[in-house]
Amino acid sequence: MMTRREFLKGCAAVGASALMLSLPGRMGRLWAQGQQPPPSQAYPLPARWPDIVAVKGGGQASRLDRALREFGGMGAFVRKGQTVAIKPNIGWSQEPIVAANTNPELVKRLVEHCLDAGAAKVWVFDHSCDNGPRSYRDSKIEAYAKSAGAIVVPGDSSSLYQAVSIPGAVTLKKVKVHELALQADVFINVPVLKDHSGAGMTCAMKNLMGAVWDRGEFHRLGLDQCIADVCLWRKPTLNIVDAGKVMLSGGPRGYSSSRYAEPQMLILSRDIVAVDTVSAMTLGRVPSDFGYIAMAEKSNLGTTKIADLDIRRLGL
Amino acid sequence: MRPKASARGGNVLRRARWVAAGIVFCVATLGFLFPALWAEMPIRVLAAWQFAPSGLRGLQGFWLVAFHGAVLSAGAAGIALLVSFLALLLLSAFFGRWYCAFLCPLGFLQDVAAWAGRKRRGYVKSNPILRASALACFIALGVGGALGLASWLEPWSLAGRFFAYDVQPLARLLLRADSPLLPWGFIAASGLAAALIIGTAAFRGRWFCNSLCPAGSLLGLLNRKAPLRLRIDPGTCSSCGRCSSVCLADCLDGKNRFLDASRCVYCLECVGVCPTGSVRYGRGIREKRRGQDDRISTIDRKKKGQDDGISMIDRREKRQDDRITRINRVEKGQDRAMVTRAGFLGLIGTNLKIAGSAAIGIFLGVGGAAAARRIAGAQDSGDRTPPGAVSPPGSLSTHRFAETCTACGLCVARCPSKILRPSTGQFGLTALFAPRLDYDVSYCQFSCTTCLDLCPSGALVKLSPEEKQRTKIGDATLVRDLCIVIKNGTKCGACAEHCPTGAVRMVKGASGLPEPVFSTSICIGCGACHHACPVKPKKAITVSGLAVHEVAEKPSERLFDPPDPPGSPVPTHDSGLFPF
């Protein structure tokens, strides 16, 4: 029979081991924060950063405003005088209504936030699938980002890309990435969530494929593993998923017969695996169906165990 | 001698001509060189008013009006095609050959070369034999269906190819912009042609325009009969000859007060230097009874010669010399119709020579066209087009395209995807340089109609964006055994991603992975799948051109809406709840 003392001892042991077990994750998170510069004093720092912030309702701009408040404002990520590279999805020469590209209003608001936080320069670029200038134009992202004061940079010339090696990659050991994604102090990944005929779903991880010059390489070497590998090259400072209007079928380009849902959501996270996990659920899919999510988790890029995470679900 | 007020006005005119022609030239060059920066509208309008392309378009318009005019829309379309050419003809017939001085970019380029060459100019006899044979050869080649060869005499196409294949690549190289490399033969051929013309201009001014250019020859003929044109007023001309030394066309014989109206390009250099303001634009009342009147006035003026404060004897001697050469010339009957027996016979002789040379030109043209077609015919293999022979949307068929495209390169220079590239014989030797779509470079953008909007010769008919998006210019072939999904067992779908109509879709196959499925009926042949297919060295999906373009079917509205498999979660976002 267990004595009272034994019971307390047992409890202490379980507690201690639980603490020990959770340490690597916490340490990891601390290190991840440590890589970033300390946020400026102008913004009150929350006691602890949330793992995922999801905002539902309202408009694109108001969702972003609300979500950033949970982090204590954009100043948490962008320090005065830093350069920022924003990587939206500008893959297609399609109008915003098709939701094949990131919503231009969201990009515009994000640029404004970065500049308000004191960013020296805000660059916006993507390696479009369709013709670059036409995609920049038709997506309205070029006009909106410029109106907010961003520098819109082309992504359709190989001379803009530099070869880097990816330590820890399984198959994609070397890749040519856009020079601004290398150069910028802060790298913000702003995908649109939608169906994808090849990868199944495109969101934060798949969006980084657009910062790369030779996408054919991904397909030849194995799409899922390469998508997971490319995320190892640079961890985005922040992932902002546009799930305002999501394409359920006929992605990524979008057709007149594509089906849509309107979650009216914006999902923010520093964990690229976690954000893709909850995004898959938002699209009505099962996250484990996507090979690249599991592979990325294996490479310690993040976690799919969202039950353990601090998720702030906010309504507007 | 102090120039008269009218002469100073002439210099203003002369300068204004340089400025105006320079602006037009800049519109052309910038339009060709910097398609991304320079708006489309100015170059589109300029191209539409180019003589030879508008003539081709006008012929198509005439055909529409003549044979389909009963159908209102066809008639209206025909008239729309005809307008600029008819206007050019009528304006030139009444107001003279202004076109060559203002609207021709190659003309301006020659003017600059002539100015830079600073050669000692003077009157040079015309060469009607060369001129007639070149014009006849051009027409015969065109009628014979070898417009690609004929276009090597046509100024807009020559200038366009020079800009598109020589200057633009050079500019892009200097700006370090990526661009697909052109075969060196194209760069060399277009550069050489332009260099020859510009080089000649440095020594002989507008020699090309008055010997080889078909537009120059036709407009020259019109100018001879134009009621309003540039003339020398023999009543005031002092025969100083300054005009001859500046004339860019070498067509002014100032000493003899003779202006060859068939060669005058309206550069207005003469107007600028004439000290007495005698080169004037207008109706030539004094010239009504030409020749004799001129001579009488010459004699009259010689009598009045004492008034001039210049050494009389010198001038008189000079004039007598002039008169002798003049009579000689008149007797030879080369330049002016004199009703003397010798002159009359000479005239017949000249006309016979011209007719003979025209016949030789026609013979050469027809022969050249036939030879090119025979060689092309040997390669022809029925309905199948040779690999890479994809003609742009709006060309209707590769055959029609080969016969109507002058290969000016404007669409090549301005294609946003840079997929329009000069053909190297895919459309036959008669249509060398006529652009084809090269899917190894990129693919035709679904919503883009740039080439159709620009084409000045009517080789590409205007299509609305909706029509263009249904125009089937080629067809894809999918080789499943080469496909990455089948071969490697990994996900791909690059073809389906890029397909703008859904003709290639990913459908879950036996392997459990999405595999490509192809429907030819809605494929428009844009080459998106071809370009995107990552398989090396041989692509799994390729697009080849159709000899005759078709209309693709409209994709089904349920193409991407397959019935959901039982048990699959359907997202609901109405409840306001978060799905995670």
Side-chain angles (χ1 to χ4, degrees):
Chain A
M1 194 185 157
M2 190 186 276
T3 62
R4 188 171 144 268
R5 180 165 297 181
E6 278 168 351
F7 174 75
L8 287 174
K9 267 186 188 165
C11 280
V14 168
S17 55
L19 192 72
M20 291 294 283
L21 282 173
S22 68
L23 253 181
R26 279 165 197 270
M27 287 298 284
R29 217 169 287 135
L30 279 173
W31 280 329
Q33 282 179 28
Q35 284 169 3
Q36 291 306 315
S40 75
Q41 291 304 306
Y43 296 87
L45 192 66
R48 186 171 170 274
W49 273 356
D51 294 306
I52 293 175
V53 175
V55 184
K56 197 168 168 67
Q60 289 283 359
S62 56
R63 282 199 286 272
L64 182 64
D65 296 348
R66 180 67 192 84
L68 285 173
R69 248 166 58 197
E70 290 300 304
F71 291 94
M74 201 66 207
F77 307 104
V78 180
R79 215 169 31 163
K80 258 200 173 66
Q82 284 191 318
T83 53
V84 181
I86 294 176
K87 162 69 180 76
N89 186 335
I90 327 179
W92 308 98
S93 143
Q94 295 271 40
E95 303 283 321
I97 195 166
V98 183
N101 304 307
T102 305
N103 188 287
E105 287 174 38
L106 173 63
V107 177
K108 180 182 177 177
R109 191 72 188 142
L110 179 60
V111 173
E112 288 168 353
H113 272 290
C114 294
L115 290 172
D116 282 351
K121 272 177 188 165
V122 179
W123 292 304
V124 176
F125 74 92
D126 189 17
H127 181 192
S128 309
C129 297
D130 273 340
N131 176 256
R134 292 184 76 88
S135 304
Y136 277 34
R137 186 193 68 194
D138 294 344
S139 69
K140 308 274 190 293
I141 289 180
E142 179 169 31
Y144 275 66
K146 273 186 180 166
S147 76
I151 306 164
V152 179
V153 187
D156 58 353
S157 165
S158 70
S159 60
L160 298 165
Y161 292 77
Q162 289 176 21
V164 294
S165 56
I166 307 177
V170 178
T171 41
L172 193 74
K173 309 261 185 204
K174 263 193 156 181
V175 70
K176 275 180 93 177
V177 293
H178 199 283
E179 58 185 15
L180 291 181
L182 288 169
Q183 230 180 76
D185 299 320
V186 178
F187 180 45
I188 302 177
N189 184 21
V190 197
V192 61
L193 171 65
K194 58 182 171 167
D195 171 56
H196 196 283
S197 56
M201 169 191 84
T202 168
C203 193
M205 290 171 66
K206 178 77 174 65
N207 192 43
L208 290 187
M209 200 167 159
V212 169
W213 177 246
D214 187 5
R215 285 186 288 248
E217 190 85 14
F218 281 52
H219 292 284
R220 283 189 292 272
L221 295 176
L223 187 60
D224 280 330
Q225 188 59 59
C226 289
I227 292 173
D229 283 347
V230 81
C231 298
L232 283 166
W233 146 75
R234 179 171 185 177
K235 187 183 166 177
T237 315
L238 183 63
N239 301 288
I240 303 176
V241 176
D242 170 17
K245 177 182 181 183
V246 297
M247 194 188 289
L248 299 174
S249 66
R253 168 183 261 281
Y255 302 90
S256 61
S257 53
S258 286
R259 284 182 307 143
Y260 290 94
E262 300 209 13
Q264 297 201 322
M265 266 169 60
L266 191 71
I267 309 167
L268 272 66
S269 177
R270 292 168 48 74
D271 182 332
I272 201 166
V273 181
V275 85
D276 268 13
T277 306
V278 295
S279 296
M281 295 159 93
T282 308
L283 199 64
R285 308 287 174 88
V286 183
S288 57
D289 284 355
F290 305 112
Y292 61 83
I293 294 185
M295 290 166 179
E297 190 178 31
K298 225 178 185 176
S299 301
N300 292 322
L301 273 160
T303 178
T304 56
K305 296 175 190 65
I306 55 165
D308 303 340
L309 301 178
D310 173 9
I311 303 179
R312 311 261 167 98
R313 299 172 182 83
L314 309 162
L316 277 180
Chain B
M1 187 168 29
R2 205 169 158 267
K4 285 184 188 171
S6 61
R8 285 204 298 277
N11 209 17
V12 173
L13 273 180
R14 174 187 155 267
R15 284 189 185 152
R17 199 291 294 196
W18 275 99
V19 171
I23 290 172
V24 170
F25 179 78
C26 285
V27 166
T29 43
L30 295 176
F32 267 94
L33 297 195
F34 305 111
L37 307 175
W38 198 248
E40 187 176 300
M41 206 272 285
I43 182 106
R44 189 155 116 193
V45 172
L46 179 63
W49 285 83
Q50 291 297 313
F51 191 79
S54 78
L56 264 172
R57 206 175 59 236
L59 283 176
Q60 293 164 43
F62 176 76
W63 184 76
L64 268 181
V65 173
F67 298 105
H68 301 275
V71 184
L72 208 63
S73 60
I79 289 166
L81 292 174
L82 265 169
V83 158
S84 64
F85 187 58
L86 273 186
L88 277 175
L89 281 181
L90 288 174
L91 288 172
S92 305
F94 280 102
F95 301 107
R97 187 183 167 180
W98 292 95
Y99 173 86
C100 299
F102 287 87
L103 290 183
C104 179
L106 191 66
F108 183 78
L109 213 53
Q110 291 177 78
D111 290 345
V112 172
W115 170 80
R118 284 193 188 85
K119 56 119 198 169
R120 252 180 69 88
R121 264 179 275 274
Y123 179 78
V124 175
K125 274 193 293 185
S126 73
N127 191 344
I129 291 167
L130 179 58
R131 216 173 173 187
S133 51
L135 179 62
C137 185
F138 176 82
I139 293 171
L141 276 171
V143 173
L147 205 61
L149 300 180
S151 69
W152 290 94
L153 293 171
E154 196 274 304
W156 170 253
S157 305
L158 283 163
R161 282 193 288 262
F162 177 55
F163 295 147
Y165 305 139
D166 295 300
V167 188
Q168 201 205 42
L170 189 71
R172 290 181 72 86
L173 194 73
L174 293 175
L175 297 172
R176 294 161 192 278
D178 280 1
S179 56
L181 283 174
L182 288 166
W184 66 268
F186 289 94
I187 298 174
S190 18
L192 191 69
L196 280 175
I197 292 165
I198 296 165
T200 308
F203 302 99
R204 295 283 304 270
R206 296 272 202 132
W207 178 84
F208 167 81
C209 308
N210 288 320
S211 322
L212 300 178
C213 176
S217 299
L218 285 173
L219 290 170
L221 284 176
L222 291 179
N223 191 53
R224 276 172 68 163
K225 303 288 171 206
L228 290 169
R229 61 180 160 88
L230 214 56
R231 304 163 197 266
I232 297 180
D233 182 350
T236 54
C237 174
S238 64
S239 293
C240 69
R242 289 192 204 182
C243 51
S244 302
S245 66
V246 293
C247 176
L248 290 172
D250 294 341
C251 73
L252 250 174
D253 186 357
K255 306 267 185 211
N256 292 304
R257 298 167 188 175
F258 173 66
L259 189 156
D260 184 350
S262 77
R263 285 188 291 150
C264 172
V265 295
Y266 286 70
C267 64
L268 306 182
E269 293 299 302
C270 48
V271 178
V273 296
C274 181
T276 58
S278 301
V279 194
R280 279 207 295 264
Y281 177 72
R283 289 176 61 87
I285 299 159
R286 282 163 196 272
E287 275 191 86
K288 255 192 182 150
R289 285 160 67 200
R290 289 183 310 188
Q292 278 161 348
D293 276 4
D294 285 9
R295 270 173 69 186
I296 291 160
S297 67
T298 312
I299 294 157
D300 283 350
R301 293 203 52 224
K302 215 188 261 175
K303 282 176 187 160
K304 285 190 281 176
Q306 279 100 342
D307 301 344
D308 293 349
I310 309 162
S311 141
M312 261 306 296
I313 298 151
D314 276 357
R315 284 195 65 180
R316 182 164 292 181
E317 275 172 10
K318 225 181 187 179
R319 286 213 184 147
Q320 261 158 2
D321 285 347
D322 287 352
R323 229 178 108 193
I324 290 158
T325 56
R326 209 170 135 77
I327 289 160
N328 281 345
R329 251 205 351 220
V330 166
E331 277 173 0
K332 277 191 205 151
Q334 275 183 342
D335 289 297
R336 320 191 85 187
M338 275 289 295
V339 199
T340 63
R341 198 167 150 262
F344 186 66
L345 288 176
L347 197 66
I348 288 180
T350 310
N351 285 344
L352 273 176
K353 270 191 226 161
I354 292 173
S357 52
I360 292 169
I362 291 172
F363 177 76
L364 282 174
V366 171
R373 290 186 135 201
R374 174 164 292 184
I375 297 168
Q379 302 170 329
D380 214 353
S381 49
D383 289 345
R384 299 261 319 262
T385 54
V390 191
S391 62
S395 58
L396 308 182
S397 74
T398 52
H399 185 73
R400 180 186 167 279
F401 184 56
E403 294 190 342
T404 45
C405 174
T406 67
C408 71
L410 183 56
C411 57
V412 176
R414 291 196 69 99
C415 173
S417 309
K418 302 251 158 269
I419 50 165
L420 284 175
R421 310 244 288 153
S423 61
T424 51
Q426 285 87 350
F427 303 126
L429 291 179
T430 51
L432 271 183
F433 278 70
R436 69 186 188 93
L437 279 75
D438 187 343
Y439 295 144
D440 291 335
V441 175
S442 187
Y443 56 97
C444 181
Q445 297 291 302
F446 194 50
S447 60
C448 177
T449 53
T450 301
C451 53
L452 308 166
D453 298 339
L454 283 170
C455 183
S457 78
L460 305 182
V461 299
K462 299 269 180 287
L463 298 175
S464 70
E466 293 73 31
E467 288 170 322
K468 186 256 173 180
Q469 288 169 0
R470 295 273 304 279
T471 301
K472 187 179 176 73
I473 60 172
D475 206 352
T477 311
L478 172 69
V479 183
R480 276 176 57 91
D481 292 342
L482 289 172
C483 175
I484 279 180
V485 182
I486 316 294
K487 205 173 59 182
N488 299 2
T490 56
K491 284 181 186 170
C492 184
C495 49
E497 260 184 69
H498 288 72
C499 178
T501 64
V504 199
R505 305 177 295 289
M506 301 307 278
V507 175
K508 207 161 244 181
S511 61
L513 293 173
E515 295 172 6
V517 172
F518 176 63
S519 324
T520 180
S521 63
I522 54 172
C523 172
I524 57 167
C526 71
C529 54
H530 179 127
H531 179 68
C533 181
V535 184
K536 277 181 177 174
K538 203 168 171 284
K539 288 177 182 280
I541 191 160
T542 49
V543 173
S544 49
L546 289 182
V548 179
H549 293 181
E550 294 166 8
V551 177
E553 278 175 32
K554 220 178 170 146
S556 150
E557 279 303 309
R558 291 191 59 82
L559 195 62
F560 289 98
D561 195 12
D564 292 306
S568 73
V570 176
T572 49
H573 295 286
D574 316 319
S575 56
L577 295 173
F578 288 88
F580 47 86

